[in-house]
Amino acid sequence: QLREHIEAVRAFSAETPEAIEAFRIKYLGKKGLLNTFFQELKNIPNDQKKDFGQAVNELKVAATEKIATLREGLQAGEPSENLFGDLTRPGEPLLLGARHPVSIVRNQIIDIFSSIGFTVSEGPEIEDDWHNFTALNLPEHHPARDMQDTFFIQTDPDILLRTHTSSVQVRYMENHTPPIRTISPGRVYRNEAISARSHCFFHQVEGLYIDKGVSFADLKQTLQYFTTALFGKSKIRLRPSYFPFTEPSAEVDVYWGLESETDYRMTKGTGWLEIMGCGMVDPNVLDNCGIDSREYSGFAFGMGIDRIALLLYQVSDIRLLSENDLRFLKQFKSIV
Ligand code: PHE
């Protein structure tokens, strides 16, 4: 009987790890044949003990060697027979990226305005004079053009890097009829000295709302809804200001202080901080874009995402946002 087993073991062949494992358990497992035979040994008459013992050993060696060769064969085998490689090998560490703080804040802003019916619109970063300036009530030689130092594309004074995403709103008005509710996030460029507070490119979200009978009260309420959603319970104030494309115009400050009833995000620093510009769209702008200003009115606003990201994450230098320093970027890993 033992001889038969030895022959069977030598002739055995298997293609799958499961079959090899079943074979191993059958012979070498705790309740396997080998242990059974070893236990048998004490019942064997003395004169046969030696032969029997040798045969059991032979069976053990044969089974152990067979398993080793079969396993080796599996590893060297065709990839189709071994799709997953060595399943006992430790895994490679998986490198997960992190979202950029500007993207995080942009997405939050988009979420908030989406929830009150604003669509998202985009346009080109290389613009023409009409969409960036002239349509927005900034004709050639208008002094207010200097408010936004512009990068021109060398050979053509008509082509420039957009200085704000108001250009997208011009395009949107040219191609849509009211009611219009849209926000335009995007990168903008200004020829400014680079410092901790300002950069030659940054990101904006501008918003536009046009319909019959839109009032300044609608603007203020929309902005209050927005700052509460983004910063927590917050106070805002509107200061009179000037933009060529809105009339009246205002600057929006949010109160950033320990005393105010705000959530955990507003802990450091105190006082009123300017976060955006806004106003009622100038009737000239509506007419320039093919919307009848006798029938419709609307409001617009624009904010810098980078500045808001610096505030929310208490970062003191805007340059960190574009230096691609992994030590900085990795800190946003767990933030969706
Ligand atoms: N376009 C202005 C800027 O870039 C912001 C703004 C938008 C102001 C809409 C008023 C209304 O500074």
Side-chain angles (χ1 to χ4, degrees):
Q1 201 200 359
L2 254 170
R3 282 285 142 214
E4 269 167 39
H5 277 298
I6 293 170
E7 291 314 313
V9 163
R10 291 201 172 129
F12 180 76
S13 169
E15 308 266 280
T16 63
E18 294 79 18
I20 298 175
E21 181 60 7
F23 175 80
R24 188 190 66 76
I25 291 169
K26 179 177 173 195
Y27 286 98
L28 303 174
K30 247 197 201 126
K31 293 179 182 156
L33 280 169
L34 268 156
N35 275 344
T36 320
F37 285 133
F38 275 125
Q39 268 158 30
E40 196 86 352
L41 201 55
K42 55 180 184 292
N43 305 327
I44 300 287
N46 273 342
D47 56 333
Q48 291 170 33
K49 256 200 175 109
K50 193 178 165 207
D51 281 351
F52 188 86
Q54 268 172 359
V56 175
N57 257 330
E58 213 174 309
L59 178 61
K60 185 180 177 183
V61 171
T64 314
E65 273 174 3
K66 177 58 89 182
I67 289 168
T69 11
L70 285 177
R71 281 189 179 156
E72 246 168 62
L74 255 197
Q75 262 170 28
E78 298 286 306
S80 63
E81 291 175 349
N82 185 21
L83 260 184
F84 302 108
D86 178 0
L87 294 175
T88 61
R89 243 175 68 193
E92 300 277 326
L94 202 59
L95 283 182
L96 278 186
R99 229 179 261 291
H100 193 280
V102 168
S103 299
I104 297 170
V105 174
R106 182 199 55 206
N107 291 348
Q108 283 173 346
I109 295 172
I110 290 176
D111 280 352
I112 294 168
F113 282 107
S114 299
S115 75
I116 49 174
F118 282 74
T119 62
V120 174
S121 48
E122 289 182 332
E125 293 183 16
I126 299 174
E127 259 300 1
D128 52 38
D129 184 281
W130 169 259
H131 291 98
N132 196 80
F133 290 127
T134 307
L136 288 161
N137 218 18
L138 279 145
E140 222 187 318
H141 306 305
H142 193 291
R145 283 193 179 209
D146 297 341
M147 283 165 72
Q148 302 176 349
D149 293 308
T150 309
F151 284 119
F152 292 95
I153 306 290
Q154 255 175 7
T155 50
D156 190 347
D158 190 46
I159 306 295
L160 46 89
L161 294 178
R162 68 181 179 196
T163 58
H164 49 192
T165 54
S166 303
S167 56
V168 182
Q169 313 196 327
V170 172
R171 289 177 178 276
Y172 197 90
M173 285 189 275
E174 286 171 344
N175 294 304
H176 293 81
T177 47
I180 288 174
R181 272 179 305 215
T182 189
I183 52 169
S184 332
R187 181 175 283 182
V188 301
Y189 302 83
R190 291 186 197 174
N191 191 357
E192 277 173 25
I194 298 172
S195 71
R197 297 296 297 154
S198 67
H199 213 297
C200 60
F201 65 83
F202 55 98
H203 304 81
Q204 282 190 326
V205 176
E206 296 215 355
L208 180 69
Y209 183 24
I210 295 171
D211 204 348
K212 288 180 180 154
V214 177
S215 72
F216 200 87
D218 297 324
L219 168 61
K220 195 172 177 189
Q221 198 53 49
T222 303
L223 296 182
Q224 179 69 69
Y225 174 82
F226 166 70
T227 56
T228 304
L230 187 65
F231 299 121
K233 205 170 184 182
S234 56
K235 257 195 298 190
I236 59 169
R237 79 177 176 197
L238 274 64
R239 273 181 295 112
S241 184
Y242 170 76
F243 297 102
F245 27 87
T246 46
E247 181 62 34
S249 305
E251 218 95 54
V252 183
D253 298 338
V254 61
Y255 193 74
W256 198 265
L258 288 168
E259 312 92 280
S260 61
E261 253 189 286
T262 51
D263 75 5
Y264 67 98
R265 282 168 290 193
M266 299 171 79
T267 46
K268 264 196 216 160
T270 49
W272 291 101
L273 282 174
E274 181 193 318
I275 55 158
M276 65 173 120
C278 68
M280 301 305 291
V281 180
D282 191 300
N284 287 339
V285 175
L286 294 177
D287 292 330
N288 284 342
C289 301
I291 291 172
D292 190 344
S293 61
R294 290 164 306 181
E295 209 181 330
Y296 293 103
S297 61
F299 63 71
F301 55 86
M303 68 192 101
I305 307 175
D306 309 63
R307 279 270 213 100
I308 294 176
L310 297 188
L311 272 179
L312 284 173
Y313 296 117
Q314 296 292 314
V315 176
S316 55
D317 193 324
I318 199 171
R319 289 169 292 196
L320 281 166
L321 297 178
S322 52
E323 279 170 353
N324 285 336
D325 185 335
L326 284 180
R327 290 169 302 174
F328 173 71
L329 296 174
K330 271 181 181 166
Q331 297 179 43
F332 299 89
K333 230 174 200 170
S334 59
I335 307 172
V336 192

